[in-house]
Amino acid sequence: PVLVTSQTFGPLVLPGDQPAFEELLTTATAIGVRERDSFALARRTGVADDRLTLIPDDAAWLEPTDEDRRWVDEQGLGSRIVTMSLTYHRGSTGYPYRSYIERAAATADALAERLDAEIVLVAHLGVIGGDADPIRDVLHNTKVRDASSSGRVRLLPMTDARRVIEVARRSLVCVTTRYHPTVFGPFSGVPAIGIATGYYSSLRMRGALGHLGLQDFVLPAEIWDAGLVLAAVDELVERHDEVQQHIAAAVPAAREHADIWWDSLVASIRDGGSWSSVPSVPAAPKLP
């Protein structure tokens, strides 16, 4: 059996890819997608409802180990930190790369002052371990730190997902042009502000946060400046208890659904491909 889980489809499918895309979707035993837009695209492509399920990202359920927590302890992070994760590219925003660096640096400095916090730049793409020259996100983060003026922006070494989750859990908030912090933070009880650098980015961030009803905290990078991010942070601070209660109420239902989904995948493998339909994850109330 072919079992597909935790995927984004589209939002655009190139004509040359369409035949392979249709073959994958229409022959798979079961398909789990992580956004309503992907669900709609799969349905339009011909996937039957009994083989199609809307699920949260599987990465929401990764758990740091004791070793991961010790590693984070060894980084010497302060008691007040903000996780910031940045793509090394500017997406489809249209402004110069230098402007992207300056906006990120200004945002980091403004967050450090407003929240009296250390800004921890977490890389998604780079080389783990060794003495390799910095590339992709790691190189970009270095440029952002060098452009900042607060002295409160630091780089986290390139590392793996569970350690990043532990850093996110210790944060006041996650601010990101990367997708995964919109999963790692909120599903651990830490709100995230997404800055979407394109259509694909917006679809995924709104999908991840939408599972907890937090999709309105995705901001368009075309109008990104420090003030816009601070306005969102101020609202999260002012509504802290309300936001925490909202997240705490939404996560258990998503987790229960994930257990059902994965039990069904395992059962399908054991039973040679038979499949029992799994309803989509219940929709969380939206926090306006």
Side-chain angles (χ1 to χ4, degrees):
V2 176
L3 305 167
V4 181
T5 182
S6 195
Q7 289 301 304
T8 295
F9 295 137
L12 306 174
V13 181
L14 298 176
D17 294 334
Q18 189 70 33
F21 181 63
E22 291 180 359
E23 180 182 357
L24 169 65
L25 266 63
T26 56
T27 59
T29 300
I31 298 173
V33 294
R34 55 193 185 185
E35 309 93 7
R36 295 188 183 280
D37 296 77
S38 295
F39 187 95
L41 176 58
R43 180 182 269 172
R44 291 197 303 272
T45 306
V47 180
D49 284 354
D50 63 351
R51 295 188 296 111
L52 182 61
T53 306
L54 176 66
I55 64 173
D57 193 313
D58 288 330
W61 318 118
L62 279 173
E63 278 294 328
T65 65
D66 290 341
E67 181 182 350
D68 296 322
R69 284 184 278 271
R70 284 193 296 272
W71 183 90
V72 176
D73 289 340
E74 292 168 357
Q75 303 312 303
L77 305 178
S79 60
R80 294 180 63 82
I81 63 172
V82 170
T83 289
M84 195 168 184
S85 190
L86 302 166
T87 54
Y88 68 91
H89 57 80
R90 55 203 163 100
S92 59
T93 56
Y95 44 74
Y97 177 63
R98 183 64 199 175
S99 176
Y100 179 42
I101 293 174
E102 291 170 350
R103 291 175 195 230
T107 299
D109 288 339
L111 288 168
E113 179 180 358
R114 183 65 58 89
L115 296 175
D116 185 25
E118 182 178 47
I119 312 304
V120 181
L121 298 181
V122 177
H124 177 82
L125 283 177
V127 179
I128 296 179
D131 299 318
D133 292 335
I135 62 170
R136 303 292 180 93
D137 291 10
V138 179
L139 179 60
H140 177 72
N141 286 349
T142 302
K143 296 177 180 179
V144 172
R145 181 199 59 192
D146 293 347
S148 69
S149 58
S150 64
R152 305 188 72 179
V153 179
R154 64 168 291 183
L155 309 181
L156 193 72
M158 185 71 204
T159 189
D160 62 36
R162 286 179 172 83
R163 291 173 178 177
V164 173
I165 291 170
E166 182 62 22
V167 174
R169 288 181 176 180
R170 300 185 188 195
S171 300
L172 302 170
V173 64
C174 298
V175 177
T176 181
T177 64
R178 279 279 177 207
Y179 162 73
H180 274 99
T182 64
V183 178
F184 295 161
F187 280 90
S188 296
V190 176
I193 297 169
I195 302 170
T197 58
Y199 184 16
Y200 178 59
S201 174
S202 177
L203 182 150
R204 293 196 300 159
M205 287 180 172
R206 289 182 60 84
L209 291 177
H211 286 300
L212 302 179
L214 302 174
Q215 58 267 41
D216 281 354
F217 286 95
V218 178
L219 313 176
E222 287 79 2
I223 58 171
W224 171 22
D225 62 19
L228 181 66
V229 176
L230 286 183
V233 166
D234 288 343
E235 182 170 347
L236 288 173
V237 171
E238 292 166 5
R239 303 173 65 186
H240 176 271
D241 291 348
E242 178 188 0
V243 172
Q244 291 300 312
Q245 291 169 8
H246 184 90
I247 294 174
V251 168
R255 180 60 205 241
E256 181 179 0
H257 182 271
D259 290 341
I260 295 171
W261 169 249
W262 272 94
D263 285 348
S264 298
L265 294 182
V266 172
S268 178
I269 294 169
R270 286 177 174 164
D271 297 342
S274 64
W275 180 249
S276 298
S277 176
V278 177
S280 290
V281 62
K286 181 180 176 182
L287 181 75

